Amino acid sequence: MRSVYNDNAGPRMSWLQNPSLRPPHSLRRKEGDSLAALRRVVAKLETVAPAIGAQHLPLGVPEMQAHLPGPGLACGVLHEMAAADHGDRPAAFGFLFALTAAALRSRPGPAVLVATRRALLDFGRPCGHGLAQLGLDVGRLLIVETETDKDALWTIEDALRSQARPAVVAGAISGNLDLTVSRRLNLAAAAHTTPLVLLRTSIAAGTSAAATRWRIAAAPAARDRFGVFAGPRWRVALERCRNGRPGQWLIEWTHVAHRFRLVESVADRAPVERAGLRRAG
Amino acid sequence: MPEGCLRHDRDRPLALVAPGKGGARIVSLNRAARQGGLVEGELLSNARSKVLDLQSRAADPGADAAALRKLALWCLRYTPTAAPWDEQSGADGLFLDVTGCAHLFGGEARLLADLEGRLRAFGLYPRTAIAGTAGASWAMARHGATDCRIVASGEEGSALENLPLAALRLSQATQTLMRRLGFKRIGEIVDQPRAPFAARFEPEFLRRLDQALGHAPEPLVPVVPPPAYHARAMFLEPILSQEHVLEAARRLLRELADALERDAVGARVLRLLLFRVVSETRFQHDSGVQSLDLGLAAPSRDPEHIARLIALRLDRLGDRLETEFGFEAAAVHVLAAEPLSERQERLGMDEGSAPPEGLAQLIDRLQQRLGSGAVCQLHPHQSHIPERAERIVSPSPRFLRGEGQWGEGTAPRPLLMLPRPEAAEVVALIPEGPPRQFRWRGVLHQVAEAQGPERIAPEWWHRTAEETRDYYVVEDAAGRRFWLYRAGLYGRSAAPPQWFMHGVFG
């Protein structure tokens, strides 16, 4: 095996494999620094990744945030989610609205929800009282219903680029996202670093340039001390994450504190056998 | 001109008849028939004996009125105030208020010439006149000499001097009486003392005289309500493409912006009128006016923003915008305006805050592109019935600030509510008990836990046939939660109560 630094013939092990050849301690620290500097340069070159120190949407679950590149859901990029199964679509909507509520809490401006008619066909329209019970500020919600996916994507892009500076743009489309569309949405979201979360109702995934991809499944709700349903719970799986690691969690939403709470981490255990819920990787 | 009439020979006498006393009576005649010695109101049978080759058609006043209305709409390209004559003035003419519109044509004489030329091209025989008052212009058009059709304001008295008394639009009885008294010309009664006339004749008489001379106002009833602010442009060559239409609209909007700024108002509802080049045969079918109405969420006078909305609307119309031979004139009317004060630039405005008109403009753009019903907001409503407990309203930037009384009631409400409750087959342990399993949309669900019931009775102040509902929040083994209700109470009616699915929880 040839070493990269040596043209001569003969096996010469690199300094990584041979401990005696390792550089002294002072030089090692400089290499650690240079590695961090290299990481920063690469991050700057990647046009779509937000700069270090950009805004993030705090989720409130440190275990989840450890898998993400920043302290929360990054703003200014596209986050994509889908339901694990057709019957889990209300749960996916619930997760979408919970993220919207968290964004409305921490950022100023209105929230724009764009949905195609087909996405709302199966289970109905959002109910204002239900949204209020989730902790969402319904007075700041603007709902746009479109006929086609094309209109919905145009609306999302217009809302992201407009001077209205919404706090969050949430979308529900019926088709799939491809590379071109997702790149366009990334660029549009980066214009004013608005968080953008998109729910696609098609189960199968295509290639997309989304920063994170989630899969949501329903879970039995939390009970309060009287046994009444308290907060909704979801099994969320982070399938793909740029500059991060995938993982699975069972989380609960507290509408009082507008944040998530980890109930148990599923990543350490064997994946739950559910129809349609596959472990990423 | 009645619709659908056959082309008739203009040199032959023609009479329009309507049923009257003693048979068919003549309602109107053409020039050849008048020259033959016929008068209006004569019996048709008598007239036929006088003029042998008389053609006759049934009079159709409804079609005449419709055609006159179309002509009035066509005349909107000259002025926004076009009013068909009322009953006493006759059913065959229009008033056009051309105050301030003559400069676009290079003067009143050119405007008259243009109008007459176009109407002749349609196959009509117009008589036109311009005067300072409606009454004077009617008199000059109907009875005046052909060469002096423009009366300068203030000279109505001298212009009307030699016209007969019929030019004052008086009733038949008054005219007969005046003839018997020996008054033939308007000039003879202008200088007379008014008291004897007022005592003997109806007040209508003096009012008409005052209106003709300009001493009393005459309100017109325009065919469409005239707007407060308007701007119009005529094109040398008809324009065909969308970009040209947009450019013309932009210029008109810039003109309007000055007028709106002077009064410190912004437009809320606008109408863009495009006047097509109309040929004679087409004219019978439509007046050639295409109008686009635009509504704005917040008053605005920004020409760029409104032009962008017009572009979106034209895109949406696409092929339905009939251009045919092009548009020869365009006009923008502001139908509703609201106060819009100057916005003061805040000193040291922070970076993150959005300008307040950004949201209104976003709403406008979305409404233009997707239709006005596509963008909405939810408002709470005082009602127990869940489907009436909130309303979908069109958005207003004022409301998007977090106001609203969404009561945090203890009763759980679903995240997504079905537009209409759907029937479900439910099996319960005891008849009034919670469900144990249910089948909805063909899928069987086993209930792990059911919470409730929440009883919602129909509102007794609405006399409806609704039934009392008992709502349950049920959760199945997979963790999905549903909102089911049982409609009706046991023992009230013969049929057992039905179960319905109303919503799902997230």
Side-chain angles (χ1 to χ4, degrees):
Chain A
M1 154 186 128
R2 282 169 179 272
S3 160
V4 171
Y5 303 103
N6 207 333
D7 286 287
N8 296 345
R12 280 247 199 152
M13 284 188 275
S14 70
W15 60 267
L16 280 169
Q17 288 163 316
N18 192 346
S20 61
L21 291 176
R22 279 218 187 124
H25 182 72
S26 54
L27 275 177
R28 223 178 296 153
R29 200 179 25 198
K30 275 192 201 130
E31 262 147 21
D33 292 339
S34 60
L35 217 55
L38 198 63
R39 254 197 214 111
R40 279 198 291 275
V41 168
V42 170
K44 269 198 216 109
L45 285 174
E46 275 188 357
T47 48
V48 202
I52 312 290
Q55 304 161 34
H56 289 88
L57 213 59
L59 293 173
V61 181
E63 291 84 353
M64 271 170 74
Q65 285 172 189
H67 286 241
L68 297 168
L73 220 56
C75 297
V77 279
L78 166 70
H79 301 280
E80 192 188 326
M81 57 189 64
D85 196 11
H86 174 78
D88 288 322
R89 202 190 300 172
F93 267 109
F95 187 62
L96 183 78
F97 288 129
L99 286 176
T100 312
L104 274 177
R105 183 71 169 198
S106 55
R107 296 168 63 96
V112 182
L113 169 71
V114 183
T116 57
R117 205 176 43 89
R118 273 185 60 196
L120 298 178
L121 203 60
D122 281 335
F123 294 102
R125 290 197 173 73
C127 168
H129 290 286
L131 292 173
Q133 283 175 357
L134 212 55
L136 201 140
D137 191 354
V138 188
R140 285 162 68 190
L141 180 67
L142 192 71
I143 302 179
V144 184
E145 192 177 320
T146 68
E147 283 290 317
T148 59
D149 267 1
K150 189 164 142 216
D151 283 340
L153 293 166
W154 181 90
T155 307
I156 293 174
E157 205 178 324
D158 198 14
L160 287 169
R161 288 193 195 272
S162 80
Q163 290 298 318
R165 310 274 179 102
V168 60
V169 176
I173 59 171
S174 21
N176 229 330
L177 286 175
D178 64 353
L179 214 49
T180 331
V181 168
S182 45
R183 275 209 199 111
R184 247 188 109 89
L185 290 176
N186 271 322
L187 284 173
H192 294 302
T193 52
T194 319
L196 171 64
V197 279
L198 210 59
L199 168 68
R200 45 158 231 279
T201 50
S202 63
I203 307 277
T207 48
S208 93
T212 57
R213 186 188 290 175
W214 303 80
R215 200 162 279 273
I216 320 289
R223 271 51 163 179
D224 65 3
R225 63 178 190 276
F226 299 115
V228 180
F229 295 131
R233 281 187 184 172
W234 304 286
R235 283 182 202 282
V236 299
L238 181 58
E239 287 187 338
R240 266 192 54 201
C241 178
R242 191 182 301 127
N243 300 332
R245 295 178 286 137
Q248 278 190 41
W249 306 273
L250 178 66
I251 55 174
E252 179 190 327
W253 169 255
T254 47
H255 73 275
V256 178
H258 290 91
R259 43 192 284 264
F260 296 96
R261 191 181 74 83
L262 182 71
V263 178
E264 66 182 36
S265 176
V266 191
D268 301 330
R269 304 171 10 173
V272 177
E273 288 299 319
R274 299 228 16 217
L277 183 65
R278 300 176 308 279
R279 183 85 195 260
Chain B
M1 186 158 52
E3 269 189 11
C5 75
L6 304 165
R7 299 291 281 149
H8 66 282
D9 192 357
R10 290 185 196 272
D11 297 325
R12 286 186 59 191
L14 171 72
L16 294 179
V17 296
K21 196 170 84 164
R25 287 200 178 257
I26 296 182
V27 171
S28 58
L29 299 158
N30 73 345
R31 188 177 301 178
R34 236 183 271 275
Q35 282 167 352
L38 301 175
V39 290
E40 284 160 9
E42 216 179 336
L43 275 176
L44 180 63
S45 39
N46 292 347
R48 269 200 218 279
S49 58
K50 287 189 209 163
V51 176
L52 292 170
D53 57 346
L54 180 68
Q55 288 175 313
S56 71
R57 298 260 188 282
D60 190 354
D64 286 343
L68 191 65
R69 203 193 129 80
K70 281 202 199 104
L71 187 60
L73 288 173
W74 178 87
C75 286
L76 285 180
R77 69 189 61 207
Y78 293 101
T79 167
T81 317
W85 288 350
D86 51 8
E87 306 88 48
Q88 212 169 23
S89 315
D92 54 353
L94 304 165
F95 285 122
L96 300 179
D97 187 355
V98 292
T99 321
C101 303
H103 70 274
L104 282 172
F105 301 88
E108 292 177 345
R110 286 233 189 105
L111 192 157
L112 270 190
D114 187 70
L115 182 60
E116 278 196 18
R118 282 179 205 267
L119 290 175
R120 285 225 175 80
F122 288 150
L124 304 169
Y125 290 101
R127 276 194 297 216
T128 56
I130 292 187
T133 66
S137 66
W138 192 94
M140 295 299 296
R142 261 254 143 92
H143 298 271
T146 40
D147 49 349
C148 55
R149 282 294 171 79
I150 299 181
V151 178
S153 42
E155 287 179 21
E156 289 94 14
S158 51
L160 296 176
E161 214 172 17
N162 291 324
L163 297 184
L165 276 178
L168 280 183
R169 293 177 285 169
L170 304 171
S171 62
Q172 277 298 108
T174 315
Q175 284 186 38
T176 324
L177 196 50
M178 293 300 274
R179 218 178 312 130
R180 281 208 208 118
L181 287 176
F183 290 108
K184 291 203 183 50
R185 304 252 167 249
I186 297 181
E188 294 167 11
I189 57 173
V190 165
D191 295 324
Q192 301 276 353
R194 295 161 66 93
F197 287 119
R200 284 175 181 77
F201 293 100
E202 56 204 3
E204 187 75 17
F205 169 60
L206 282 177
R207 198 163 61 84
R208 286 286 186 209
L209 184 62
D210 287 337
Q211 279 175 350
L213 294 176
H215 303 314
E218 179 168 2
L220 300 174
V221 180
V223 64
V224 283
Y229 302 93
H230 60 271
R232 66 181 14 79
M234 314 269 297
F235 310 124
L236 287 172
E237 290 268 338
I239 54 176
L240 279 162
S241 69
Q242 191 166 314
E243 290 84 40
H244 292 154
V245 170
L246 271 177
E247 185 52 43
R250 228 177 253 126
R251 272 193 227 152
L252 291 171
L253 290 167
R254 276 187 219 123
E255 261 183 61
L256 274 178
D258 294 332
L260 293 172
E261 193 173 335
R262 216 181 321 125
D263 294 339
V265 293
R268 275 303 290 277
V269 183
L270 288 149
R271 179 175 287 165
L272 172 69
L273 289 159
L274 299 167
F275 299 99
R276 278 199 288 277
V277 174
V278 188
S279 64
E280 182 193 338
T281 45
R282 260 310 272 190
F283 174 68
Q284 295 202 18
H285 300 279
D286 82 302
S287 52
V289 181
Q290 175 106 33
S291 77
L292 302 171
D293 282 356
L294 289 167
L296 302 178
S300 158
R301 50 175 183 256
D302 182 10
E304 281 312 315
H305 170 57
I306 303 177
R308 214 175 313 138
L309 298 180
I310 294 179
L312 286 170
R313 173 64 76 86
L314 291 173
D315 281 336
R316 199 154 65 113
L317 272 184
D319 296 329
R320 281 179 285 145
L321 182 75
E322 304 165 6
T323 26
E324 284 208 39
F325 300 114
F327 300 113
E328 57 182 359
V332 175
H333 293 179
V334 173
L335 301 176
E338 273 182 23
L340 175 72
S341 50
E342 285 300 325
R343 190 170 63 90
Q344 254 193 343
E345 294 288 333
R346 275 177 282 148
L347 292 172
M349 212 156 72
D350 41 338
E351 284 299 318
S353 69
E357 62 263 11
L359 184 58
Q361 291 186 354
L362 173 68
I363 295 175
D364 286 340
R365 280 202 303 273
L366 295 180
Q367 281 182 327
Q368 283 310 316
R369 161 94 181 216
L370 306 167
S372 52
V375 188
C376 61
Q377 244 197 302
L378 297 171
H379 267 203
H381 183 59
Q382 288 284 349
S383 175
H384 294 300
I385 313 290
E387 57 260 26
R388 289 204 278 270
E390 62 198 39
R391 283 225 173 109
I392 298 182
V393 297
S394 55
S396 159
R398 268 178 286 137
F399 291 129
L400 278 169
R401 296 238 180 87
E403 303 164 12
Q405 310 85 24
W406 293 97
E408 297 245 337
T410 47
R413 287 286 177 267
L415 190 68
L416 300 170
M417 201 151 73
L418 296 171
R420 238 171 259 111
E422 295 183 9
E425 296 161 14
V426 165
V427 170
L429 266 188
I430 50 172
E432 288 106 1
R436 283 304 299 269
Q437 76 180 29
F438 64 95
R439 180 183 291 277
W440 178 51
R441 288 185 179 170
V443 179
L444 189 66
H445 300 262
Q446 297 287 342
V447 172
E449 185 172 340
Q451 293 185 359
E454 182 197 346
R455 177 158 287 192
I456 296 181
E459 295 165 331
W460 51 266
W461 51 95
H462 291 143
R463 288 163 186 267
T464 51
E466 283 176 6
E467 296 169 306
T468 309
R469 302 177 184 172
D470 277 346
Y471 278 91
Y472 290 91
V473 180
V474 303
E475 185 180 74
D476 71 352
R480 304 168 187 179
R481 276 167 298 142
F482 304 87
W483 209 42
L484 276 175
Y485 73 86
R486 178 181 54 229
L489 300 169
Y490 278 97
R492 282 285 175 87
S493 57
Q498 284 271 320
W499 284 85
F500 293 92
M501 173 73 65
H502 207 174
V504 289
F505 287 81

